[in-house]
Amino acid sequence: MPRVCVSISLCLTLAVISVVRLEKMNFAGAKLPHYETLRGEKPADIETTVILPESVFKAPEGKQSSVASAKHLPGTNEEEEHALMTRQKRHPDLSEGQAIASVIIYRNLASLLPEQYDTDKRSLRVPKRPIINTPVVSISIHDNDALMQRALEKPITVQFRMLETEERTKPICVFWNHSILVSGTGGWSAKGCEVVFRNETHVNCQCNHMTSFAVLMDISRRENGEILPLKTITYISIAVTLGSLLLTFFFLAGLRTLRSNQQSIRKNLVIALFFSELVFLLGINQADLPFACTVIAILLHFLYMCAFAWALLEALHIYRMLSEVRDINYGPMRFYYMVGWGVPAFITGLAVGLDPEGYGNPDFCWLSIYDTLIWSFAGPIAFAVAMSVFLYVLATKATCAAQQQGFEKKGTVSGLRSGFISLLIMSVTWLLALLSINSDAILFHYLFVGFNCFQGPLLFLLCVILSKEVRKALRSICGKKHSTDPTLTTKSTLTAAYICNNTYVDGQLYHTPFGDSTGSLHSTVRSGKSHHSYIPFVLREE
């Protein structure tokens, strides 16, 4: 294996140097180098090859040859054009119908080049631990004594054999771009190249130009978009959560008596969680499709923030129910819809406008925790969780104060408990999802699968089975089906109406005639005694 030492500090190991004369007329393609014609000791790697298409000497439509276009380059004077056309031939015995193709394969050139990469994220999404895991293959063709530098009509194919096969994942076909001014010497870019084949030992790339190529990979045990042994279990857990969320929504939307604002907030929370889980399930592994991956990442960004926004609104609504005298559980919800859906849409749109290339990474169609764009998600989520916890603390204090004075508002204690538990399970689940996507630690995957599988059934338990409003609505439906005696129905209706028109104040029962509003009674009591601020509460029986 030849070695070329340029200086004391730079010594390249060349696997193969191949120079081949090609007949341009009726060129049917070629596979280089011709390992079978090599003399002496064969290199260890005889599988790294270059396949030139039959149209390699055909210029794309509407484009001129490199020599013709060089004449019209701005800043080119007549002397340079004359020197270009009259210089001595590099290959004087080369006929007009022939060209020279050279292929040089460097085994350790990548380790000597600076670790610089294209800053355009649409061109190259650099893995967390990047490494060049193939030889560097340099390809050039001299046609009419000029280096062919134009784009090709059909791409060339480069077949690489990996240097290492263990813990090497997420292959990206790259080339050394001298025009990248990151360090003044160029850098690796993926423009015009793509992976067309991959197995455990080989990677095939196709590129629409000729230069020096290699394959960039990640030092990782996990493949692109795979969760290895947990893949099937993860899908099952998400399916269980989706089924539970769908069942929860049907109960909350199907019961006609559940028309309170609190139940509407929960329905919107369930909708946001359902679609976020669905998009996560269907699109998180579409990293090989850049546009689709970007759209999926944007949708996940929006839906996750919507879920936490509605969780924050639930905490705010429960606190208002406990702290305000008037009944706020019924009425318009324009403010809630604006915060629950409008604010996340505004934040997501702003993030897309500022950095659209930041969505999607080599692992998954999601945000990378190593990119500054992650703060457009983590920041609002952290604020929503912190504010929700703060509001639940205030609501708990208000509940304790009311209980000490002997008052308790109906349904608020159970709503407070279920809302806080829902927020807790959501926060832990999606924190583990973020860590499992951006980390190789298998523990995060196990934890995410467990919490995600538990999330949907727990919400169904809290919002449906343990909800007093839902159970009351179900009992009323069952009671209507089994009630046949009109006398009993009339009696129960009158009794309920009588009870609903009674109010307890200081241990005394105030009865309001049918059809009259209780607002005058409450106003009278409040005007007489300022400490009766908990009139909407029900006096607890000792």
Side-chain angles (χ1 to χ4, degrees), residues 484-520:
T484 56
D485 190 350
T487 306
L488 295 177
T489 304
T490 306
K491 183 178 180 180
S492 61
T493 304
L494 293 175
T495 302
Y498 181 83
I499 295 175
C500 291
N501 283 271
N502 292 310
T503 305
Y504 281 96
V505 179
D506 284 344
Q508 298 181 1
L509 178 65
Y510 291 87
H511 174 63
T512 306
F514 289 94
D516 292 349
S517 173
T518 59
S520 58

Side-chain angles (χ1 to χ4, degrees), residues 27-30 50-61 63 139 141 148 150-158 192-194 196 205-210 213:
F27 180 71
V50 178
I51 301 176
L52 300 177
E54 67 279 1
S55 60
V56 69
F57 296 108
K58 297 179 182 179
E61 295 182 1
K63 293 188 178 181
I139 309 166
I141 295 180
M148 186 183 297
R150 55 176 167 78
L152 302 176
E153 186 181 71
K154 292 184 179 180
I156 63 172
T157 302
V158 185
C193 296
E194 62 177 346
V196 294
C205 300
Q206 283 190 345
C207 300
N208 59 9
H209 50 80
M210 287 181 290
F213 303 98

Side-chain angles (χ1 to χ4, degrees), residues 387-399:
M387 284 299 301
S388 299
V389 172
F390 177 70
L391 290 171
Y392 280 126
V393 171
L394 294 181
T396 303
K397 291 179 63 177
T399 301

Side-chain angles (χ1 to χ4, degrees), residues 227-246:
I227 313 180
L228 297 181
L230 288 173
K231 184 177 181 180
T232 303
I233 304 176
T234 302
Y235 288 160
I236 293 175
S237 70
I238 295 178
V240 171
T241 295
L242 286 174
S244 301
L245 292 174
L246 189 63

Side-chain angles (χ1 to χ4, degrees), residues 222-228 230-232 234-235 238 278-290 292-293 296-297 300 361-366 437 445:
R222 192 180 65 194
E223 278 297 341
N224 185 9
E226 291 187 76
I227 313 180
L228 297 181
L230 288 173
K231 184 177 181 180
T232 303
T234 302
Y235 288 160
I238 295 178
L278 184 62
V279 174
F280 184 90
L281 177 65
L282 298 178
I284 197 67
N285 290 337
Q286 304 298 325
D288 294 334
L289 304 174
C293 187
I296 290 166
L300 289 176
N361 57 63
D363 299 321
F364 295 98
C365 299
W366 182 227
I437 286 176
H445 291 292

